[in-house]
Amino acid sequence: MAEHEINRAVEASLDSASLSFRDLLKWAFSFPVLLGTVFAGVAFCVARQLSLDPDVWWHLKDGEAILATRHWPTTDPYSFTVHGFPWIAFEWGGDVTLAAALKVGGVRGLDILLFTLGTAILLALYALATISSGKSKAGFAAAVLLTPMVIAQFNLRPQMLGYLLLVLAMIMLVRFRHGKPRTLWLFPLLMLVWINSHGSWVIGMGALFVYWMAGLFEFQVGGIEAQKWSPTQRKQLSLVFLLSVVLLLVNPYGTELVAFPFKIARGYQVSHTIVNEWLPMNFNIAAGKVFLFIILGFIVAQVVYGFRWRLEELALCLFGVFAAFIHLRFVLLFVPFFTPFLARILAQWVPAYSREKDKDLLNAALMAGAAALMVFSYPTRADLERKIADQFPVQAVQYIRAHHVPGPTFNSYWFGGYLLWRGQKVFIDGRSELYEDGGVLQDFAQLDYLRIGGLDILRRYQIQSCLLQPDAPLATVLAALPNWERIYSDRTSVLFVHRGPWQSLPTSLDKQIANVASRATEPLQSHE
Amino acid sequence: MSLAVQQNHFKAMSEHRIVVGSRKYSAVHESPKVIAEINAPRTSVPYVAQRALTVFELLKSVFSFPAMLGALLFVRVFYEGRAFNVDPDMWWHIKVGQDILRTHHFPTTDAYSFTVAGTPWIAYEWLGEVILGFVARDGVLALDAFLIALAGIIMFALYGLATLRSGNCKAGFLVSVLICSVAFASFNMRPQMFGYLFLILELIALESFRKGIRWVLWLLPPIFLLWVNMHGSFIIGLGVVAVYLLSGLKGFQLGSIEAVAWSRQQRVQLDAVLLLCLAVLPLTPYGTQLAAYPFDMAFRQPLNTSIINEWRPMPFDIMGGKMFLAFIVVFVMLQLFSRFTWRLEEFVLLLGSTVLACLHVRFVMLFVPFFTPLLAAMLARWIPPYKRALDQYIANAVIMAAVVLGVTHFRPSREFLEDRVSDTFPVTAAHYLEQHPIYGPMFNDYAFGGYLINSGRRVFIDGRADIYERGGILSDYLLLTKLKPGSLSILDLYRVESCLLKPDEALTTALLGSPKWKRIYGDETGVLLVRAQPLASPTRSNPGP
């Protein structure tokens, strides 16, 4: 039996009311599902490391505040440099999810959430690849090849939710193209969750729009073909699109949240030049090399085999490729858009799954063994807290509290989220757009990169202490200056205090900054 | 199929490909338009040269439409070249060349720095440096004119290659103009320009050889003789010959990739040429050392290849990187639409150069010559070919005359060029140093090293990153300029008394904020700092000139 026929049979039996429990068990312990276990293992290995993005902390703080106050912020409460500036929790759904995981399970809860989201994303990609190619082995091979790029983006931020939702959206659209329209009715609900979780919803809407547009034509030119939608399909697509647009407004901020991705796209020049994930694709790193290898492999396969592609999938793939080259973070787009291509190319050579040769008991044993291994090797709370302390200034914050270190404190960009979560008012954190709007990001860059007049920034903001990464250039400079004293250091951070008063401030602008500095001494609700 | 039939078949195919790109056509099934193209007089210069030329015919060639397009291409080159973007390495190349001309001696140890003085070093691009040194005697005007002339020759060669490959001078011109912006990223007054030119000439020779013009291939050994003495990219040239040779060992077709087998005579000739090219490699003042240098660069200089700008990956956030990406996307899209057929060697070279250009931006100088002819071959499908019968010689002559007048009128002045130099290099700071000598070693910015060498000063570091990496200086320089913990003590370690830095560097800000250093000179290009308390006594001599 051909694999796609098996899949259809399984789907048909799933649809029918007469599905037997035995059939369900056979499916649950089938070889394709065993292959899926591999991805759970990969996600587990990543989650074990708990390599946290610095932004996770301000997301957590925001989520905790929303859960505690039942109020959605409209101004910044966390910094002393842009305090009171207009700001919205544009990923509040994701923030609340993170905070709930922390509240329920502590740091282990966060790790389990990372594992769950990672597994869900990889399995969804596997499913997308399988549906696109009609072969589970080809789907598995495609998802495996793309995994290094996917896991490079795994970090505990709402963008993982966005990633998962994008893959699910692609599954719905591909199934719709394959003549299975029912799942597309879930698209508006997906958008309802998406608009409140992460700004990548606009990509989902764009994908739907591209599918709709591409089906308005019918042609074949070389390796590109456009298949026209039937009137029923076009009607359904239009309705789904309209429903999705309507549901976009169902969020605490109304149209402001809808407008946010466009505001980002208009360009935050400074953010896009200094924040790592906005930098172009870097071929010095493993993920970049895999990306390059995959692109060139695709070009070779296309030239040699002359595959034919549908207009909509080609348009989305080209967009994903271009976006990933320009900004590293858009590998998130490239992978789901490219997965169907890769799976269909590999399907040329990968043999189909044969149900008759499947060994359910062996599969079940392997899956149980993998699950047991994961459970037994799951890191302890102490292990996870140690990993956090290796990345963030845990001890330094305790020192600051215990020794009443004077503020305001200038902090490394990397530390901002964690300091904010621990109740410290920050100079800057990962909400780069907010700081760029307030002019603070430019000042930060001038100081952090030690450009002309950079050290004057410390005087302008009346900074009394600096919490920096040990190998930061500013740390080397402050160590050599007589009016700065290093009072604390560990592997993760170093703390300097300013000795003696700053000179008086002559300009009105500098007086405004002095007001900012005084706000830094107001206590935040601390988190222990 | 017998050999004779194969050769005739290939020759017939080649003639078709001259005018219709790489798609295989049978003349029997061709449209009248294409048959007219096949029968149209050949436009490439080598074919014209086969006939007896009268002066009148020569003039017609000089003022032909393809030649006029070449003149317009030169306008593009002139526009870029007159900006005179000077690479920091130009200066030490000039200095080395002038020293060789003056002393008739090829250096074997370093004589330009105080950090690696006396360590083994060879002038691995000596012939290019001698040419630059000779030109530089007449100042910046001569250098800029030479840059424009050399860039013009390179782009003409590229235009010629694209026209030869596509059989359509308009397609060749269009692609050459479009690719200028990407190509110019590699255009600067350094010996690598000669390497660029030799690579394109080599490709012209190989393409002509593919089309049945065999004598051209014998030009490769003398080209390699010059190449090995001018720039390390000769190793790429050898690789290209090897790829061409290997790609023709066996004929096959795989989708849109076609391997066209060499005839026995062609293979023998290719083998002989390759061996001759290898045989000339030791013919250098340094023997085989020069030939080994590219391998040293590739495998024994990890710092150099990881931190120097031109060795970094392609920057897709700037216009040049975006254009490079756009070209790749256009190629893929055209391939999807029209399924062109490519020869195995050209496809392999295109892929290889694309990978290299992505990994190291400097290899865009490989991507351009491998990509341009293929894109021209694609566009030739839609661009009507040149028709000699419709040529307007007088109009062409007027346009070319206008180009000459325009170039003459808009040529940059000496003052403009000198301003360009002083915008980038510490010209005024160097004058200050001559008038106010500072004793003791001076730490300098990497980008200033070449200029300071040319000014006669001993430097901490310059663009010869290989020698500094071997001596451990490059790693110290990086630690210091990145202000790693404890790195400021490196200045004490080298007994540095002064620093000549760019104003906007982190180290400059750090030293300006330190009470141990004071600024004694500053302008928009450079800042000169000295120790507040010198380490050395005033009687110690300056290790400069």
Side-chain angles (χ1 to χ4, degrees), chain B residues 55-93:
Chain B
V55 171
F56 181 63
E57 291 220 349
L58 192 61
L59 277 175
K60 280 173 87 173
S61 291
V62 168
F63 296 112
S64 64
F65 181 73
M68 187 272 292
L69 290 180
L72 291 179
L73 182 62
F74 183 75
V75 172
R76 183 80 173 86
V77 171
F78 177 76
Y79 175 76
E80 297 279 353
R82 78 184 295 276
F84 198 46
N85 291 318
V86 179
D87 187 279
D89 286 355
M90 178 186 81
W91 305 106
W92 66 260
H93 283 302

Coordinates of all heavy atoms in Angstrom, one line a residue, chain B residues 55-93:
Chain B
V55 N 41.4 49.4 -43.8 CA 41.3 50.5 -42.8 C 39.9 50.8 -42.6 O 39.5 51.1 -41.4 CB 42.2 51.7 -43.3 CG1 41.9 52.9 -42.4 CG2 43.6 51.3 -43.4
F56 N 39.1 50.8 -43.6 CA 37.7 51.2 -43.5 C 37.0 50.2 -42.6 O 36.2 50.6 -41.7 CB 37.1 51.3 -44.9 CG 35.6 51.7 -44.9 CD1 35.3 53.0 -44.4 CD2 34.6 50.8 -45.3 CE1 34.0 53.3 -44.4 CE2 33.3 51.2 -45.2 CZ 33.0 52.5 -44.8
E57 N 37.3 49.0 -42.8 CA 36.6 48.0 -42.0 C 37.1 48.1 -40.5 O 36.3 47.8 -39.6 CB 36.9 46.6 -42.5 CG 36.2 46.3 -43.9 CD 35.7 44.9 -44.0 OE1 36.0 44.1 -43.1 OE2 34.9 44.6 -44.9
L58 N 38.3 48.5 -40.4 CA 38.9 48.6 -39.0 C 38.1 49.8 -38.3 O 37.7 49.7 -37.2 CB 40.4 48.9 -39.1 CG 41.1 48.9 -37.8 CD1 41.0 47.5 -37.2 CD2 42.6 49.2 -38.0
L59 N 37.9 50.9 -39.1 CA 37.2 52.0 -38.5 C 35.8 51.6 -38.2 O 35.2 52.0 -37.2 CB 37.2 53.2 -39.5 CG 38.4 54.1 -39.5 CD1 38.3 55.1 -40.6 CD2 38.6 54.7 -38.2
K60 N 35.2 50.8 -39.0 CA 33.8 50.3 -38.8 C 33.8 49.5 -37.5 O 32.8 49.6 -36.7 CB 33.3 49.5 -39.9 CG 32.8 50.4 -41.1 CD 32.5 49.5 -42.3 CE 31.1 49.0 -42.3 NZ 30.7 48.4 -43.6
S61 N 34.8 48.7 -37.3 CA 34.9 47.9 -36.0 C 35.0 48.8 -34.8 O 34.4 48.6 -33.8 CB 36.0 46.9 -36.1 OG 35.8 45.9 -37.0
V62 N 35.9 49.8 -35.0 CA 36.2 50.7 -33.8 C 34.9 51.5 -33.5 O 34.7 51.7 -32.3 CB 37.3 51.7 -34.2 CG1 37.4 52.8 -33.2 CG2 38.7 50.9 -34.3
F63 N 34.1 51.9 -34.5 CA 32.9 52.7 -34.2 C 31.7 51.8 -34.3 O 30.6 52.3 -34.6 CB 32.9 53.9 -35.1 CG 34.0 54.8 -34.8 CD1 35.0 55.0 -35.8 CD2 34.1 55.5 -33.7 CE1 36.0 55.9 -35.6 CE2 35.1 56.4 -33.4 CZ 36.1 56.6 -34.4
S64 N 31.8 50.6 -34.1 CA 30.6 49.7 -34.2 C 29.8 49.8 -32.9 O 30.2 50.4 -31.9 CB 31.1 48.2 -34.3 OG 31.8 47.8 -33.2
F65 N 28.6 49.3 -33.0 CA 27.7 49.4 -31.8 C 28.3 48.6 -30.6 O 28.2 49.2 -29.5 CB 26.3 48.8 -32.2 CG 25.3 48.8 -31.1 CD1 24.7 50.0 -30.8 CD2 24.9 47.6 -30.5 CE1 23.7 50.0 -29.8 CE2 24.0 47.6 -29.5 CZ 23.4 48.8 -29.1
P66 N 28.8 47.4 -30.7 CA 29.4 46.8 -29.6 C 30.5 47.6 -28.9 O 30.7 47.7 -27.7 CB 30.0 45.5 -30.1 CG 29.1 45.2 -31.3 CD 28.8 46.5 -31.9
A67 N 31.3 48.3 -29.8 CA 32.4 49.1 -29.3 C 31.8 50.3 -28.6 O 32.3 50.8 -27.5 CB 33.3 49.6 -30.4
M68 N 30.7 50.9 -29.1 CA 30.1 52.0 -28.4 C 29.5 51.6 -27.1 O 29.6 52.3 -26.1 CB 28.9 52.5 -29.3 CG 28.3 53.8 -28.8 SD 26.9 53.5 -27.7 CE 25.7 52.8 -28.8
L69 N 29.0 50.4 -27.0 CA 28.5 49.9 -25.7 C 29.7 49.8 -24.7 O 29.6 50.1 -23.6 CB 27.9 48.5 -25.9 CG 26.5 48.5 -26.6 CD1 26.0 47.0 -26.7 CD2 25.5 49.4 -25.9
G70 N 30.8 49.4 -25.3 CA 32.0 49.3 -24.4 C 32.4 50.7 -23.9 O 32.8 50.8 -22.7
A71 N 32.2 51.7 -24.7 CA 32.5 53.1 -24.3 C 31.6 53.5 -23.2 O 31.9 54.1 -22.2 CB 32.4 54.0 -25.4
L72 N 30.3 53.1 -23.3 CA 29.3 53.4 -22.3 C 29.6 52.7 -21.0 O 29.5 53.2 -19.9 CB 27.9 53.1 -22.7 CG 27.3 53.9 -23.9 CD1 25.9 53.4 -24.2 CD2 27.3 55.4 -23.4
L73 N 30.1 51.5 -21.1 CA 30.5 50.7 -20.0 C 31.7 51.4 -19.2 O 31.8 51.4 -18.0 CB 31.0 49.3 -20.4 CG 31.4 48.3 -19.3 CD1 30.2 48.1 -18.3 CD2 31.8 47.0 -19.9
F74 N 32.6 52.0 -20.1 CA 33.7 52.7 -19.5 C 33.2 53.9 -18.6 O 33.8 54.3 -17.6 CB 34.7 53.2 -20.5 CG 35.9 53.9 -20.0 CD1 36.9 53.1 -19.3 CD2 36.0 55.2 -20.0 CE1 38.0 53.7 -18.8 CE2 37.1 55.8 -19.5 CZ 38.1 55.1 -18.8
V75 N 32.1 54.5 -19.1 CA 31.5 55.6 -18.3 C 31.2 55.2 -16.9 O 31.5 55.8 -15.9 CB 30.3 56.2 -19.0 CG1 29.6 57.2 -18.1 CG2 30.7 56.8 -20.3
R76 N 30.6 54.0 -16.8 CA 30.2 53.4 -15.5 C 31.5 53.2 -14.7 O 31.5 53.5 -13.5 CB 29.5 52.1 -15.8 CG 29.0 51.4 -14.5 CD 27.7 52.0 -14.0 NE 27.2 51.2 -12.9 CZ 27.6 51.3 -11.7 NH1 28.4 52.2 -11.3 NH2 27.1 50.5 -10.7
V77 N 32.5 52.7 -15.3 CA 33.7 52.4 -14.6 C 34.4 53.7 -14.1 O 34.8 53.8 -13.0 CB 34.7 51.6 -15.5 CG1 36.1 51.6 -14.9 CG2 34.2 50.3 -15.9
F78 N 34.3 54.7 -15.0 CA 34.9 56.0 -14.7 C 34.2 56.6 -13.5 O 34.8 57.2 -12.6 CB 34.8 56.9 -15.9 CG 35.3 58.3 -15.6 CD1 36.7 58.6 -15.5 CD2 34.5 59.4 -15.5 CE1 37.2 59.8 -15.3 CE2 34.9 60.6 -15.2 CZ 36.3 60.9 -15.1
Y79 N 32.9 56.5 -13.5 CA 32.1 57.1 -12.4 C 32.5 56.5 -11.1 O 32.6 57.2 -10.1 CB 30.6 56.8 -12.7 CG 29.7 57.2 -11.6 CD1 29.4 58.6 -11.4 CD2 29.1 56.3 -10.7 CE1 28.5 59.0 -10.3 CE2 28.3 56.7 -9.7 CZ 28.0 58.0 -9.5 OH 27.2 58.4 -8.5
E80 N 32.7 55.2 -11.0 CA 33.1 54.5 -9.8 C 34.5 54.8 -9.5 O 34.9 55.1 -8.3 CB 32.9 53.0 -9.9 CG 31.5 52.5 -10.1 CD 30.7 52.5 -8.8 OE1 31.3 52.7 -7.7 OE2 29.5 52.2 -8.9
G81 N 35.4 54.8 -10.5 CA 36.8 54.9 -10.3 C 37.2 56.3 -9.8 O 38.2 56.5 -9.1
R82 N 36.5 57.3 -10.3 CA 37.0 58.7 -10.0 C 36.7 59.0 -8.5 O 37.3 59.9 -7.9 CB 36.3 59.7 -10.8 CG 34.8 60.0 -10.5 CD 34.2 61.0 -11.5 NE 34.9 62.3 -11.5 CZ 34.6 63.3 -10.6 NH1 33.7 63.1 -9.7 NH2 35.2 64.5 -10.7
A83 N 35.9 58.2 -7.8 CA 35.7 58.4 -6.4 C 37.0 58.0 -5.6 O 37.2 58.5 -4.5 CB 34.6 57.5 -5.9
F84 N 37.9 57.2 -6.2 CA 39.2 56.9 -5.7 C 39.1 56.4 -4.2 O 39.6 57.0 -3.3 CB 40.1 58.2 -5.7 CG 41.6 57.8 -5.6 CD1 42.1 56.8 -6.3 CD2 42.4 58.5 -4.8 CE1 43.5 56.4 -6.2 CE2 43.8 58.2 -4.7 CZ 44.3 57.2 -5.4
N85 N 38.4 55.3 -4.1 CA 38.3 54.7 -2.8 C 39.6 53.9 -2.6 O 39.9 52.9 -3.2 CB 37.1 53.7 -2.7 CG 35.8 54.5 -2.7 OD1 35.7 55.5 -2.0 ND2 34.9 54.0 -3.5
V86 N 40.4 54.4 -1.7 CA 41.8 53.8 -1.5 C 41.7 52.7 -0.4 O 41.3 53.0 0.7 CB 42.8 54.9 -1.1 CG1 44.2 54.3 -0.9 CG2 42.8 56.0 -2.2
D87 N 42.3 51.6 -0.8 CA 42.4 50.5 0.2 C 43.6 50.8 1.1 O 44.7 51.2 0.5 CB 42.5 49.2 -0.5 CG 42.5 48.0 0.4 OD1 43.6 47.7 1.0 OD2 41.4 47.4 0.6
P88 N 43.6 50.6 2.4 CA 44.7 50.8 3.2 C 46.0 50.1 2.8 O 47.1 50.6 3.0 CB 44.3 50.4 4.6 CG 42.8 50.4 4.6 CD 42.4 50.1 3.2
D89 N 45.8 48.9 2.1 CA 47.0 48.1 1.8 C 47.7 48.7 0.6 O 48.9 48.3 0.3 CB 46.6 46.7 1.4 CG 46.2 45.9 2.6 OD1 46.4 46.4 3.8 OD2 45.8 44.7 2.5
M90 N 47.1 49.6 -0.2 CA 47.8 50.2 -1.4 C 49.1 50.8 -1.0 O 50.1 50.6 -1.8 CB 46.9 51.2 -2.0 CG 47.5 51.9 -3.2 SD 46.6 53.3 -3.9 CE 47.1 54.6 -2.8
W91 N 49.2 51.4 0.1 CA 50.4 52.2 0.5 C 51.6 51.3 0.7 O 52.7 51.6 0.2 CB 50.1 53.0 1.7 CG 48.9 53.9 1.5 CD1 47.7 53.8 2.1 CD2 48.9 55.1 0.7 NE1 46.9 54.8 1.7 CE2 47.6 55.6 0.8 CE3 49.8 55.7 -0.1 CZ2 47.1 56.7 0.2 CZ3 49.4 56.9 -0.8 CH2 48.1 57.4 -0.6
W92 N 51.4 50.2 1.4 CA 52.6 49.4 1.6 C 53.0 48.6 0.4 O 54.2 48.3 0.1 CB 52.5 48.4 2.8 CG 51.4 47.3 2.8 CD1 50.2 47.3 3.4 CD2 51.6 46.0 2.2 NE1 49.6 46.1 3.1 CE2 50.4 45.3 2.4 CE3 52.6 45.4 1.5 CZ2 50.2 44.0 2.0 CZ3 52.4 44.1 1.0 CH2 51.2 43.4 1.3
H93 N 52.0 48.3 -0.5 CA 52.3 47.7 -1.8 C 53.2 48.7 -2.6 O 54.2 48.3 -3.2 CB 51.1 47.4 -2.6 CG 50.3 46.2 -2.1 ND1 50.9 44.9 -2.1 CD2 49.0 46.0 -1.7 CE1 50.0 44.0 -1.7 NE2 48.9 44.7 -1.4

